[in-house]
Amino acid sequence: MKKNRSLENAIAAIPSGAVIMVGGFGNPGTPFSLIRELVRQGQTDLTLIKNDANEAGHGVSQLIENGQVKKLITTHIGLNKGVIDRMNQGEVEVQFHPQGMLAEKIRTAGAGSFGFLTDIGIDSEITRPEDLLDWQGKTYKVEMALSADFALLHAARADWLGNLVYQGSAINFSPLMAMAANHVIVETPHLGAPGCFIPEQVHTPGAFVDSVVPLASLTSDYGILEHHVRR
Amino acid sequence: MSVVERILRRAVMEIAPGSIVNLGIGLPTQVMHYLPDDFDVQIHSENGILGAWKQAAPEQMDPFLIDAAGAYVSLREGASLFDSAVSFAMIRRARLDLTMIGAFEVDAHGNLANWKIPGKFSPGIGGAMELAQKTQRIVVLTTHTDKHGKPKILKTCRLPLTAKACVSRIISDLAVMDVTDQGLVVREKLVEISDADLQALTEAELTFATEGGTA
């Protein structure tokens, strides 16, 4: 079955109030085109799960700046002072997780399990007494799996069946989120016919993907951010 | 030499040949630029790179390849790229030899605070808790005092901790200090400063074991 969708149709599946995982670590892997369409359609009360808040004016920061986001589940927003200010003013609720814990919570949901035991952050203020489990003489922290209604992802290449290949440092959370969300929407600038990939090199098998949105070209937000270039 | 340059030039000497090293956001990521081009090291970046290297030439710069701080890195021969779960499995399985990391506060017990200043500036945890808890050796790079001249090297951290008793060494713009069972021991001074003046800029009690005594 072909999973190709138009940008408008793919994003129209998302209702207000949805919980949405968004791929990307900084810019690489951020599905800028899917996000812009979500800004245009204007769904509200969203909960976003993303490693970071992108940077001012870019990616998920546009959704936050546009008042569409109720809660952000993330690891680090140090490169987005505007979102830190909104958090301090109570305009958006921000929940921080250790980065590998966020990844593992998503991976766990994607594997159909419910949680795991860890010692990360066990001595810190992010751990509540009710998170602790004494088991066979040792104390662990229980981390529960984290799933979502939707995942919005960027793939370097995809085929009609939803097989995905990522590139560079744009892999990050995307293959994990593809497995953990109930409805997975992927944008790609290179959509091919089945058979265009070497099977061993597929990062995300098509079974996890619901919609593939072909992009005619990559806009400037996918390009080099000048202020990160060392002169 | 600027304050930052002094820290970075001393920090680069901490990297042992053949090691796997993570460089945190801020001062530490800049250490890479002080490594000789043929130096035997694998730089781990928690966004999914083992074998990250200095910025590529302009025509080869790849917008889909950054380090955790957003800089456009290149890849060395033998580099690998992977997802965030694998990246942090590598960290939690203690495959990293060294992490250099920034600090809001660090203390005499080796406690580290670098993720949250309540109500003011909370960048978040990022990879810091797992790196600090699980890397073999943690070296903090920090200015000795904050921008108001107040000590950042304390008796006991006051901000929420990233991890307890995780720091082995502190490199500031003034000195190199080791965290020991007896508290902070000054191993080197990086500027001309008396023991008393260095102590005056440090809340934690210092003992001095510098080569050649007071500078």
Side-chain angles (χ1 to χ4, degrees):
Chain A
M1 188 189 76
K2 284 195 182 184
K3 296 178 177 175
N4 311 12
R5 301 282 183 279
S6 71
L7 186 55
E8 185 175 354
N9 281 349
I11 294 299
I14 301 175
S16 287
V19 178
I20 309 174
M21 290 175 172
V22 182
F25 188 120
N27 269 9
T30 301
F32 292 105
S33 301
L34 298 180
I35 292 167
R36 265 201 310 274
E37 179 62 16
L38 191 54
V39 169
R40 193 188 70 80
Q41 293 189 14
Q43 289 89 331
T44 58
D45 295 313
L46 303 174
T47 295
L48 298 187
I49 302 168
K50 188 186 187 285
N51 175 66
D52 51 81
N54 287 114
E55 296 183 37
H58 288 263
V60 295
S61 194
Q62 293 179 331
L63 287 165
I64 297 168
E65 291 159 21
N66 202 33
Q68 292 172 261
V69 180
K70 177 177 65 176
K71 181 175 179 180
L72 175 66
I73 298 173
T74 189
T75 81
H76 193 273
I77 58 174
L79 297 183
N80 196 327
K81 181 78 169 54
V83 172
I84 292 178
D85 289 342
R86 283 170 191 271
M87 168 179 74
N88 289 342
Q89 287 152 21
E91 290 172 28
V92 59
E93 181 188 350
V94 177
Q95 188 182 89
F96 288 117
H97 293 273
Q99 199 167 98
M101 292 294 98
L102 185 64
E104 196 64 14
K105 286 160 83 74
I106 295 168
R107 195 198 67 81
T108 300
S113 298
F114 302 97
F116 60 95
L117 305 181
T118 187
D119 63 348
I120 298 299
I122 200 163
D123 291 328
S124 77
E125 70 162 42
I126 64 167
T127 301
R128 306 162 302 176
E130 59 266 38
D131 298 327
L132 297 175
L133 176 71
D134 289 316
W135 183 252
Q136 298 183 341
K138 286 188 178 171
T139 302
Y140 301 95
K141 180 177 185 184
V142 178
E143 286 282 5
M144 298 304 289
L146 184 64
S147 59
D149 303 319
F150 293 87
L152 304 183
L153 308 177
H154 178 92
R157 292 182 292 147
D159 68 19
W160 304 334
L161 298 172
N163 292 307
L164 307 180
V165 171
Y166 312 100
Q167 77 183 98
S169 66
I171 309 172
N172 57 72
F173 284 77
S174 296
L176 313 171
M177 290 174 167
M179 295 166 69
N182 294 327
H183 185 116
V184 175
I185 303 170
V186 181
E187 55 161 59
T188 183
H190 297 290
L191 178 63
C196 66
F197 294 136
I198 299 167
E200 288 91 336
Q201 292 178 352
V202 171
H203 283 129
T204 293
F208 291 109
V209 174
D210 298 281
S211 303
V212 180
V213 175
L215 303 176
S217 62
L218 293 183
T219 46
S220 62
D221 28 3
Y222 295 87
I224 298 282
L225 290 173
E226 278 304 320
H227 60 277
H228 282 299
V229 176
R230 184 182 168 90
R231 298 293 177 195
Chain B
M1 201 188 307
S2 72
V3 163
V4 165
E5 205 179 339
R6 195 154 65 227
I7 296 172
L8 297 175
R9 282 183 188 281
R10 180 58 189 80
V12 74
M13 294 163 66
E14 296 293 312
I15 300 179
S19 56
I20 296 179
V21 179
N22 184 287
L23 301 172
I25 295 177
L27 280 176
T29 46
Q30 299 178 53
V31 172
M32 185 152 69
H33 302 290
Y34 290 79
L35 283 165
D37 283 331
D38 59 351
F39 196 83
D40 176 18
V41 63
Q42 286 183 287
I43 303 293
H44 173 271
S45 189
E46 62 268 31
N47 56 331
I49 309 173
L50 185 61
W53 200 237
K54 301 172 189 181
Q55 182 174 287
E59 66 277 8
Q60 284 160 355
M61 219 176 275
D62 179 356
F64 287 88
L65 188 62
I66 63 169
D67 68 12
Y72 297 103
V73 293
S74 59
L75 298 178
R76 291 189 107 175
E77 294 284 318
S80 52
L81 298 166
F82 34 83
D83 70 50
S84 297
V86 171
S87 186
F88 279 85
M90 211 176 285
I91 294 167
R92 293 194 302 272
R93 292 284 291 116
R95 293 293 179 173
L96 273 57
D97 300 297
L98 170 69
T99 288
M100 295 213 233
I101 201 163
F104 295 153
E105 296 176 348
V106 58
D107 72 23
H109 314 285
N111 297 324
L112 172 69
N114 73 355
W115 76 277
K116 184 178 186 182
I117 303 175
K120 287 186 182 165
F121 183 71
S122 297
I125 299 159
M129 278 192 184
E130 287 153 295
L131 287 163
Q133 255 181 272
K134 298 295 183 180
T135 308
Q136 310 276 357
R137 180 172 169 80
I138 299 289
V139 174
V140 163
L141 307 187
T142 180
T143 53
H144 207 89
T145 54
D146 69 15
K147 60 184 173 191
H148 307 294
K150 289 187 182 151
K152 292 180 74 174
I153 303 168
L154 307 179
K155 287 188 163 71
T156 304
C157 289
R158 291 181 273 272
L159 292 171
L161 292 186
T162 304
K164 282 186 181 170
C166 60
V167 177
S168 297
R169 172 165 278 194
I170 304 164
I171 299 177
S172 79
D173 49 314
L174 303 180
V176 178
M177 293 145 281
D178 280 339
V179 179
T180 74
D181 294 341
Q182 286 74 46
L184 296 185
V185 176
V186 179
R187 300 292 184 198
E188 296 167 40
K189 290 177 186 170
L190 302 180
V191 293
E192 296 270 327
I193 188 170
S194 70
D195 291 359
D197 286 350
L198 187 60
Q199 180 64 73
L201 294 170
T202 316
E203 188 194 280
E205 218 162 288
L206 300 175
T207 54
F208 291 84
T210 48
E211 302 244 336
T214 306

